[in-house]
Amino acid sequence: MQALQKTAAAFGLEFREVPQPAAPAAHEVIVDVVAAGICGSDVHIYDWSGGYDFLKQAFPVTIGHEFAGRIAQVGVDVAGLQAGQPVVVIPSVECGVCEFCSAGRLDECRDRRGIGMLRDGGFARFVRVPALNCLALPDDIDLGIAALCEPLSIGLSGVKAAEVKRGDKVLVMGPGTIGQGIALLARERGAEVVVVGYDDPGRLDGVRALGIDRTLDLKQQPLSDTKQLIGADEFDIVIEATGVPSTVQAGLDLLRPSGVLVICGIHGAPVSFDAAKLVRNRHQIRGTYRASRATWAQVRDFVVEHHAALVPMVTHRLPLADALEGFEMARNKIGSKILLMP
Ligand SMILES: [Zn+2]
Ligand SMILES: [Zn+2]
């Protein structure tokens, strides 16, 4: 089968003819991948712009960690999953042997291997994964929309870290898929949401297509104009999903006293901010990363319930053979989520 792989510590990705995965071990399954999203981190791996040196140990490796498909084959000890079952895959595999795993505290495992990072992922027709990493989906769901579960799980983790509640005024910085998910999930909790981006008209259109009308492109208007959009001087919560270091101070400047700023973005450089101002305003900065299994289950349920409303998040579906075109579109911020359809 054809697989889109990272093979060298340099720009680019390579299509390689690889064998189909061997039969699954006792607790594993083979997933026939239907849809796999191109993530911002995949674009970083493609660009090789820094931060992913840890992947070298796994080269050559098939990337792609946001995917859904159907079970093709199950290992002998797998219960509850059968061939043909649609599933979405949690792309982080616990070690199974550390003190946390042994105690059943899988979310705390320190020795994980990411599917589509350190082991083969979803930019190929078939992938072998632990059965425990599969969440069942109903038969009639669009698996392209189900592939949004991974970025939505990051979004829900951010919304939970921020403790968003009804009536909160929430500023979301970054209109990509994660920012869109944060906005939707914060609105679901009854918040008033504003989304900002920089020179990002296509993805801000995507935000509005989701019914979130209050958006601002910072190339055209200053961030302070968001105050008019909410009719207030400050936000209760700021959630950052850009990875751009300057957004942290900019977000803090719009936060009310005792407000919370959550960082979801992966920052390629250290962030500086005015700590005295932070202290005097009793601001809190919180980080969030990789959703817990409980959050994943909630996201799966959210996607099953609201999949029709999520349709605008997916703007392109390309055959796997056109993957490199898809990566160029993603790095040029053309469209929102671009899916490859192996
Ligand atoms: Zn992702
Ligand atoms: Zn472990």
Side-chain angles (χ1 to χ4, degrees):
M1 64 178 185
Q2 286 283 298
L4 186 65
Q5 295 198 319
K6 192 74 185 175
T7 58
F11 177 87
L13 290 165
E14 206 182 320
F15 265 116
R16 296 182 72 228
E17 184 65 28
V18 300
Q20 286 188 17
H27 293 283
E28 291 179 333
V29 299
I30 305 291
V31 175
D32 184 346
V33 181
V34 173
I38 297 178
C39 177
S41 55
D42 296 323
V43 176
H44 287 304
I45 292 166
Y46 170 69
D47 278 340
W48 206 248
S49 48
Y52 288 88
D53 270 352
F54 68 96
L55 291 190
K56 284 189 208 165
Q57 57 179 294
F59 288 170
V61 67
T62 304
I63 63 167
H65 60 269
E66 303 181 353
F67 59 95
R70 291 178 190 280
I71 299 287
Q73 220 184 325
V74 298
V76 290
D77 290 339
V78 173
L81 291 172
Q82 276 134 32
Q85 169 71 50
V87 292
V88 61
V89 175
I90 303 173
S92 181
V93 180
E94 298 85 3
C95 76
V97 295
C98 72
E99 55 179 306
F100 298 107
C101 286
S102 304
R105 291 155 64 185
L106 296 181
D107 287 329
E108 287 158 74
C109 174
R110 300 274 187 277
D111 190 17
R112 317 177 148 268
R113 294 183 81 78
I115 296 170
M117 293 273 174
L118 289 179
R119 50 183 283 165
D120 288 334
F123 292 151
R125 171 86 191 265
F126 296 104
V127 58
R128 191 166 51 84
V129 302
L132 256 185
N133 285 57
C134 296
L135 294 180
L137 296 166
D139 261 323
D140 57 352
I141 196 167
D142 174 344
L143 291 173
I145 301 304
L148 294 169
C149 281
E150 198 273 346
L152 286 167
S153 77
I154 310 290
L156 183 54
S157 300
V159 166
K160 284 181 167 182
E163 300 176 73
V164 174
K165 59 184 190 312
R166 180 161 301 283
D168 280 346
K169 296 185 194 312
V170 177
L171 174 63
V172 180
M173 305 180 87
T177 304
I178 290 175
Q180 292 177 8
I182 292 166
L184 278 175
L185 292 157
R187 187 182 63 180
E188 178 81 2
R189 288 187 171 202
E192 282 181 59
V193 180
V194 175
V195 180
V196 299
Y198 182 83
D199 195 14
D200 215 336
R203 299 196 301 180
L204 287 166
D205 279 348
V207 172
R208 286 187 296 273
L210 292 167
I212 292 163
D213 302 323
R214 287 179 272 201
T215 67
L216 203 111
D217 192 327
L218 300 176
K219 194 177 183 197
Q220 259 92 51
Q221 280 174 276
L223 185 58
S224 54
D225 280 6
T226 51
K227 295 175 187 175
Q228 282 133 42
L229 294 176
I230 51 160
D233 277 345
E234 291 160 329
F235 287 87
D236 301 295
I237 288 165
V238 176
I239 307 180
E240 179 281 329
T242 66
V244 176
S246 61
T247 56
V248 172
Q249 184 67 61
L252 287 170
D253 287 343
L254 285 177
L255 196 59
R256 69 159 165 79
S258 300
V260 175
L261 179 136
V262 170
I263 301 181
C264 293
I266 300 290
H267 290 250
V271 170
S272 64
F273 56 86
D274 184 338
K277 205 170 160 192
L278 175 115
V279 168
R280 290 195 177 111
N281 282 301
R282 299 178 306 281
H283 283 159
Q284 293 181 44
I285 297 179
R286 300 176 186 171
T288 183
Y289 185 59
R290 192 179 48 69
S292 67
R293 281 177 175 264
T295 297
W296 262 94
Q298 290 171 332
V299 163
R300 186 262 318 265
D301 294 347
F302 177 83
V303 169
V304 169
E305 192 181 341
H306 298 280
H307 62 104
L310 302 175
V311 168
M313 291 179 76
V314 173
T315 52
H316 299 79
R317 297 181 190 226
L318 303 176
L320 182 62
D322 294 345
L324 296 180
E325 189 187 319
F327 270 80
E328 282 301 318
M329 290 163 68
R331 71 203 287 251
N332 291 304
K333 300 182 191 170
I334 294 170
S336 289
K337 183 55 72 184
I338 297 167
L339 297 177
L340 302 178
M341 312 295 287

